[in-house]
Amino acid sequence: MADLRLPNDVFLDVFRGAATRELAPGEVLIHAGQPADQVFNIESGVLMLYRTGTDGRRQVLSFLFRDNFVGLSATDAYFFSVEAVTPARVVVCPRRVLNERLARDPAAEQAFLNMVFRVLEDILDVVYSLGQRTASERLAVFLLYLRHWKRLTDTIADDAHPSLGAVQVPMGREDIADFLGLKKETVSRSFRELEQAGLIHRLDSHTVRLDDLPRLRQLAGISDFASPRRLASALR
Amino acid sequence: MADLRLPNDVFLDVFRGAATRELAPGEVLIHAGQPADQVFNIESGVLMLYRTGTDGRRQVLSFLFRDNFVGLSATDAYFFSVEAVTPARVVVCPRRVLNERLARDPAAEQAFLNMVFRVLEDILDVVYSLGQRTASERLAVFLLYLRHWKRLTDTIADDAHPSLGAVQVPMGREDIADFLGLKKETVSRSFRELEQAGLIHRLDSHTVRLDDLPRLRQLAGISDFASPRRLASALR
DNA sequence: CGGCAATTTGATATCCATCAATCGGTGTGG
DNA sequence: CCACACCGATTGATGGATATCAAATTGCCG
């Protein structure tokens, strides 16, 4: 799945000088069921990791941003698919090379394990959202999540930095819906609810200004991505 | 988080001769926010790992069974709580001891990493359930999940073994509801739906006979815990 | 037998999904 | 430059699934 690159996640040096691959929006990087013989790191763009049921229902498990690692798998086949949301560039490395690197270097393995743990924690947030939150609470969490990633990929330490005023929403309503366990119409309506409550303002359908961070955070509940503990472990 | 113990998950030897702790139903083993300085392995009983929101909503993230490992954390504080569902006995080990063991022995670290991956895959099943499935589909998945665990803890290779005819449901309706993202009344009604459809029969409120495995599996969709690939990696 | 807690069932309310129409950009061709 | 078509987003009207509130039932323990 995916996570932050800590600037000092040493195992990432396996991507040094590796081949890159360019992806157009909608292009599939990983097909579920394929042999899991490659791992990737995102250089630019936004990707989406999802799982599809036999009847066509789709659950987006995670959005992936710059410096996210992709390709974790317990088995020898991917059990999820990954596709590009925006134009994107990824670096490719054979899984075997990563494994050898991890086996040889305890520090690399430790860093890798830590990354996996962070992925796990993030997913538990998602579980809480899907199980317990209402539609507009989920959207509030999602917007804070996008802001959080903007902050990390731009390495902005200041929580009140002006460039964080507007958040880019690169994915479409349907992708958001499949991530939040809703339908696209409900996502639209939830945007409107947040806007009418004065929490956000839609500049256009892919840009949102967060007008009332404290109330958004209150709506989102425990999953405040800007909480000191989480940022500390992410920006370390 | 939790997972199977593969019989050969070597890192588990840190629990050899370690202290044990007995838990009564409802007793809390881990309080969210506490320093994460211990790890546990379950010798008997069923536990429940959950997260509570500021307003009291609770999401059960996982049920934990015999030989499950408990205490994974990316940071130095637990971000979830764990309590006993049934009377239970756990073995306790200082986190430091485990870490030293993992640092010293690459094979142990590899086994540990594999366990964490399996936990991750399991959680992604949960995400799909919460995001995409209806109430009775979730319950069908849950019953297959309990059967799966019975099979693993009793190491029953035969999928049609008679002792798998009836499944024990050790937890109460409210705990199930908080795991499936439903209310307890809805869990009751979903039991009735499955029963009226001839898929199950409630022997009593904590025992269910699975009468039509094929149709239950179809209802559950992709998350068939008995799929050959999953069992292979679990029973290896 | 009596009482308490968990479960089940029933009646109603709420939220989200569904179905359908409209709006708003964007690109194309006249 | 404007008319038109297309696609995603929004809005509206309605339906359905689950939540909520309340009562009845079951099982369990003293």
Side-chain angles (χ1 to χ4, degrees):
Chain A
M1 296 35 17
D3 204 351
L4 296 181
R5 180 184 70 166
L6 304 196
N8 48 1
D9 264 355
V10 288
F11 66 89
L12 287 170
D13 54 18
V14 298
F15 290 107
R16 296 240 160 219
T20 67
R21 180 169 165 196
E22 301 277 344
L23 297 165
E27 196 174 344
V28 177
L29 176 66
I30 293 177
H31 288 272
Q34 277 180 337
D37 49 12
Q38 291 184 314
V39 297
F40 308 89
N41 205 50
I42 301 177
E43 291 208 329
S44 68
V46 178
L47 281 72
M48 172 170 79
L49 190 152
Y50 61 92
R51 196 163 169 177
T52 308
T54 45
D55 55 0
R57 280 178 281 184
R58 181 184 71 158
Q59 176 67 36
V60 173
L61 300 165
S62 175
F63 289 104
L64 307 169
F65 303 90
R66 181 161 65 77
D67 286 338
N68 275 181
F69 178 89
V70 187
L72 301 186
S73 179
T75 56
D76 50 7
Y78 299 115
F79 55 98
F80 51 80
S81 302
V82 176
E83 74 175 55
V85 171
T86 67
R89 189 174 60 250
V90 299
V91 215
V92 189
C93 166
R95 175 188 213 49
R96 191 180 37 75
V97 171
L98 174 68
N99 283 339
E100 284 167 6
R101 176 83 173 83
L102 296 184
R104 219 180 321 114
D105 178 356
E109 179 133 42
Q110 180 62 43
F112 189 72
L113 192 54
N114 272 326
M115 182 201 66
V116 177
F117 278 162
R118 293 195 308 272
V119 173
L120 235 167
E121 282 197 34
D122 284 350
I123 291 193
L124 295 184
D125 277 344
V126 172
V127 172
Y128 184 89
S129 264
L130 293 176
Q132 301 301 324
R133 291 192 229 265
T134 66
S136 33
E137 287 170 351
R138 290 182 210 179
L139 184 58
V141 172
F142 181 66
L143 292 173
L144 291 172
Y145 162 82
L146 288 178
R147 183 177 190 271
H148 174 69
W149 276 106
K150 183 192 176 78
R151 217 179 140 183
L152 290 177
T153 60
D154 300 355
T155 49
I156 299 169
D158 176 13
D159 182 39
H161 192 281
S163 84
L164 292 170
V167 169
Q168 281 305 114
V169 184
M171 60 294 288
R173 296 295 187 255
E174 184 132 34
D175 295 339
I176 300 175
D178 284 348
F179 180 56
L180 300 182
L182 302 169
K183 294 297 166 185
K184 56 184 187 302
E185 297 92 334
T186 306
V187 172
S188 269
R189 287 184 233 276
S190 301
F191 267 111
R192 185 166 48 127
E193 271 183 51
L194 295 185
E195 191 164 44
Q196 287 181 337
L199 302 184
I200 66 171
H201 188 80
R202 283 177 283 185
L203 305 180
D204 65 67
S205 69
H206 291 284
T207 318
V208 178
R209 206 180 57 213
L210 308 186
D211 291 325
D212 193 337
L213 223 38
R215 279 208 293 154
L216 273 175
R217 286 178 172 155
Q218 187 187 353
L219 232 197
I222 60 175
S223 219
D224 187 344
F225 297 97
S227 77
R229 212 193 89 240
R230 298 191 63 123
L231 267 188
S233 79
L235 290 174
R236 182 183 326 150
Chain B
M1 286 98 336
D3 203 350
L4 296 180
R5 180 184 71 167
L6 304 196
N8 48 1
D9 263 356
V10 289
F11 65 88
L12 287 170
D13 55 18
V14 298
F15 290 108
R16 297 241 158 220
T20 68
R21 181 167 164 196
E22 303 277 343
L23 297 164
E27 195 174 344
V28 176
L29 176 65
I30 293 177
H31 288 271
Q34 278 180 337
D37 49 12
Q38 291 184 315
V39 296
F40 308 89
N41 205 51
I42 301 176
E43 292 208 327
S44 69
V46 178
L47 282 72
M48 175 170 76
L49 190 153
Y50 60 91
R51 198 161 167 177
T52 308
T54 45
D55 55 1
R57 280 179 281 184
R58 181 185 71 158
Q59 176 67 37
V60 173
L61 300 165
S62 174
F63 289 104
L64 308 168
F65 304 89
R66 180 160 66 75
D67 286 338
N68 275 180
F69 178 89
V70 187
L72 301 187
S73 180
T75 56
D76 51 5
Y78 299 114
F79 55 96
F80 51 80
S81 301
V82 176
E83 76 175 54
V85 171
T86 67
R89 189 174 59 251
V90 300
V91 215
V92 189
C93 167
R95 175 190 233 5
R96 190 180 39 74
V97 171
L98 174 67
N99 283 339
E100 285 167 5
R101 176 81 173 81
L102 296 183
R104 221 180 321 114
D105 178 357
E109 180 134 43
Q110 181 60 46
F112 189 72
L113 191 55
N114 272 326
M115 181 201 66
V116 177
F117 278 164
R118 292 195 309 272
V119 172
L120 237 167
E121 283 197 33
D122 284 350
I123 291 192
L124 294 184
D125 277 345
V126 172
V127 172
Y128 184 89
S129 265
L130 293 176
Q132 301 301 324
R133 290 192 231 266
T134 65
S136 32
E137 287 171 350
R138 291 182 210 179
L139 184 59
V141 172
F142 181 66
L143 292 174
L144 290 171
Y145 162 83
L146 288 179
R147 183 177 189 271
H148 175 69
W149 276 105
K150 183 192 176 79
R151 217 179 141 183
L152 290 177
T153 61
D154 299 357
T155 48
I156 300 170
D158 176 14
D159 182 39
H161 193 280
S163 83
L164 292 170
V167 168
Q168 280 307 115
V169 184
M171 61 294 288
R173 296 297 186 255
E174 184 133 35
D175 294 338
I176 299 175
D178 284 349
F179 180 56
L180 300 182
L182 302 168
K183 295 296 167 183
K184 58 183 186 303
E185 296 93 333
T186 305
V187 172
S188 267
R189 288 185 232 276
S190 301
F191 266 111
R192 185 167 47 124
E193 271 183 51
L194 295 185
E195 191 163 43
Q196 288 181 337
L199 303 184
I200 66 170
H201 187 82
R202 283 175 283 186
L203 304 179
D204 66 66
S205 69
H206 290 282
T207 317
V208 178
R209 206 180 57 214
L210 308 187
D211 291 326
D212 193 337
L213 224 37
R215 279 209 293 155
L216 274 174
R217 286 179 172 154
Q218 187 186 354
L219 232 197
I222 61 174
S223 217
D224 188 345
F225 297 96
S227 77
R229 213 193 88 240
R230 298 191 62 122
L231 267 187
S233 81
L235 288 174
R236 184 182 328 150

